[in-house]
């Protein structure tokens, strides 16, 4: 009786017999090799009738990979993080910024003079 307890070890409840005959025939497939700039080769399997993409993310390093082994795509250029102030400085000149600041201060001083703001 001790051997009977091991009969279902490694399988899940409801799992049927394993094998090609029980699951049906597999669709015809093709293996496609992609190459990244770090000299990684990634073999991806597609169905014969599926459209093969020109690029694929390398599973080893995450860089883009292509079908051309001689000319793999270059790593994308990573832009440094920009602060809100950096974006504002791109849109406004120093003179425009000074004018906006002066206008805002003028409005604050007027509100303070009317007693709306206490500081």
């Amino acid at each position: 009786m001790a051997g009977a307890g091991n009969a279902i070890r490694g399988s899940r409840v409801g799992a049927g017999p394993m094998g090609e005959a029980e699951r049906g025939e597999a669709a015809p497939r093709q293996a496609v090799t992609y190459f990244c700039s770090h000299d990684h080769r990634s073999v991806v399997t597609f169905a014969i009738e599926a459209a093969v993409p020109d690029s694929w993310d390398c599973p080893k390093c995450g860089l883009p990979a292509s079908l051309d082994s001689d000319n793999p795509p270059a790593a994308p250029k990573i832009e440094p993080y920009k602060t809100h102030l950096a974006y504002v400085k791109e849109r406004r000149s120093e003179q425009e910024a000074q004018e906006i600041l002066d206008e805002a201060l003028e409005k604050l001083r007027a509100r303070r003079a009317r007693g709306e703001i206490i500081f």
Side-chain angles (χ1 to χ4, degrees), residues 18-43:
M18 300 292 281
E20 197 69 30
E22 288 81 15
R23 291 184 295 188
E25 291 296 317
R29 299 176 227 180
Q30 61 180 327
V32 179
T33 305
Y34 290 93
F35 305 89
C36 76
S37 60
H38 284 164
D39 294 329
H40 296 142
R41 298 174 77 133
S42 304
V43 179

Side-chain angles (χ1 to χ4, degrees), residues 76-95:
K77 184 179 177 188
I78 298 173
E79 295 288 331
Y81 174 78
K82 288 186 185 178
T83 64
H84 177 69
L85 181 59
Y87 283 110
V88 169
K89 286 182 175 182
E90 284 181 359
R91 294 191 312 262
R92 307 249 191 257
S93 68
E94 287 289 329
Q95 183 180 354

Side-chain angles (χ1 to χ4, degrees), residues 23-75:
R23 291 184 295 188
E25 291 296 317
R29 299 176 227 180
Q30 61 180 327
V32 179
T33 305
Y34 290 93
F35 305 89
C36 76
S37 60
H38 284 164
D39 294 329
H40 296 142
R41 298 174 77 133
S42 304
V43 179
V44 183
T45 305
F46 295 98
I48 291 287
E49 64 271 359
V52 176
D54 292 331
S55 65
W56 195 263
D57 289 341
C58 177
K60 294 178 184 161
C61 64
L63 292 176
S66 71
L67 300 169
D68 187 357
S69 63
D70 296 329
N71 298 311

